[in-house]
Amino acid sequence: MLPHLLAIWVGKILILLGRLKGGSSSLPGLVVEKLYPNFIQHIPSYFDKIIVVTGTNGKTTTTKLLRNILHEEFDLVVSNQSGSNMPRGIITSVISSMSWTGKLHAKIGLFEVDEGFTTYMCKELEPEVLAILNLHRDQLDRYGEVDRIINMLSKAAESSKSVLVNFDDPKLKSAFIQFDNITSLSASSKVRRLVPNDDQLHKSTSATIDNEKDYPADIFIKYVNGYNHGQEIKIDIRCVDIKIKTKLQGVFNAYNIAVAVAIASDLGVNKDTINNVVANFEPAFGRSEIVKLKDKYIKILLVKNPSGFNQIIVSFLNQQPLPTLIIINDNYADGRDVSWLWDVDIENWHNIDSGKIITSGTRAYDMALRLQYANIECVVEPDIKKAIAKLISLTPKNGTSNIVPTYTAMLKSRKLLKNKAKLKAW
């Protein structure tokens, strides 16, 4: 095992080499983790407070928004900005912020954490706040059923000083309502009906949430009003109303915004600062990110599971018929098992640009078969580079098209598009 400082040097050298190649990577953290397994245990000593964000959907958006808000108030906020949310990604982000002498003292460590690693990371980091956004069936080959993840999150909560939990998820509410350190999140029935929980998504008979009632909560989303280029959201945070305007579309983002705003408020960030940051906030990479290619626009809409895909259909694909490329990969970070495609309510996708739907990726034919069963015609092009070229050719001048990719497909798409457009850093 290498000495602590030498492991940091190795990590920093690998980070520099990665930047020279034009990308971000969790490889430095993986190498340091192998060379110095105890590095994670040192992380709490570098920060005044640590915040952990987890859940099936919305981690990257919530973490990025909260990071942007906190940067306005605190001198140094360290976060895993690339969205690499396993221990190796977190180690990389910490080492990247260190000096070559291993010095780092930051006010806030803000990390999104993969659900499967939350128990371990919270035990080591002992966060000031653990935020649990939602829980849906996702990558069953890696995680198992939802009940197993709930048990893991319950153990993570025991290592956290306070836990913010979405009580509109009946399983989360049932598991955490007895905890003393809980901050509850809920929304009005009108909002809640548009963002189904896992039981409702799968039409389970165990679905217990009554969507006609409002439930008291520490953080309460009163309403969401959408307009052409964003939304207005009203949030009650412990009996104090905050009205927010945002460029983020999709009612599901109201929950992400509410979590970020509530945590920032609890840390003392003033209302005006919060409003300004949220109003100017751009989507995280791949999450309704718009790429400009000369006189054409491509919107990237990341999907990882049935619930997220359904929200993309409702919030984006059904808004207007556009050329659309769906890229499904089955790499480890995507989940090997793609049977989840059959849980997506593809039949609800009715606003379709006929003849301009393409499938690609390692599971292009699986996606094409799912579309066929929904009576949606498509063209199959497994090669992602060729598929993107075809999508661009189908996109009208001054028009927009969609790429709907899984995680590794999104990274590949951005890399290919980077050769044609200036993309923002992660």
Side-chain angles (χ1 to χ4, degrees), residues 232-394:
E232 182 180 81
I233 304 167
K234 191 172 184 179
I235 308 167
D236 179 325
I237 301 177
R238 298 184 182 86
C239 299
V240 176
D241 284 347
I242 296 182
K243 190 180 290 185
I244 298 283
K245 286 190 175 181
T246 176
K247 297 176 185 177
L248 292 179
Q249 297 176 310
V251 175
F252 58 91
N253 270 315
Y255 284 85
N256 301 329
I257 291 169
V259 169
V261 169
I263 294 174
S265 297
D266 286 348
L267 291 174
V269 183
N270 69 68
K271 189 184 296 187
D272 289 340
T273 298
I274 292 172
N275 282 332
N276 289 336
V277 173
V278 176
N280 293 294
F281 179 74
E282 299 288 345
F285 68 101
R287 282 77 172 174
S288 70
E289 176 185 21
I290 297 177
V291 179
K292 187 177 186 299
L293 304 174
K294 295 183 179 178
D295 56 357
K296 299 182 179 184
Y297 300 86
I298 295 179
K299 184 176 289 187
I300 306 176
L301 303 164
L302 175 68
V303 294
K304 300 186 293 181
N305 46 58
S307 60
F309 207 140
N310 286 347
Q311 287 294 316
I312 292 299
I313 291 172
V314 171
S315 299
F316 297 100
L317 300 187
N318 273 343
Q319 297 308 306
Q320 57 180 317
L322 297 174
T324 297
L325 166 61
I326 306 174
I327 313 176
I328 305 297
N329 279 351
D330 62 351
N331 297 313
Y332 178 75
D334 306 294
R336 300 289 191 187
D337 181 2
V338 297
S339 62
W340 64 270
L341 294 173
W342 294 91
D343 289 328
V344 179
D345 190 10
I346 293 291
E347 287 72 13
N348 188 41
W349 183 13
H350 50 75
N351 211 350
I352 297 167
D353 196 351
S354 181
K356 297 181 179 179
I357 308 300
I358 310 165
T359 65
S360 187
T362 58
R363 293 301 191 104
Y365 287 97
D366 296 76
M367 188 67 237
L369 181 63
R370 178 67 187 94
L371 291 173
Q372 182 180 0
Y373 270 80
N375 295 315
I376 298 174
E377 294 184 4
C378 69
V379 175
V380 180
E381 175 46 76
D383 185 281
I384 296 176
K385 184 176 182 179
K386 292 179 180 178
I388 290 177
K390 184 170 184 60
L391 179 72
I392 293 171
S393 71
L394 293 173

Side-chain angles (χ1 to χ4, degrees), residues 197-217:
N197 59 61
D198 190 70
D199 284 341
Q200 293 161 338
L201 176 68
H202 294 276
K203 300 178 176 63
S204 167
T205 55
S206 65
T208 56
I209 285 290
D210 183 347
N211 277 341
E212 299 305 318
K213 295 181 180 179
D214 289 346
Y215 297 87

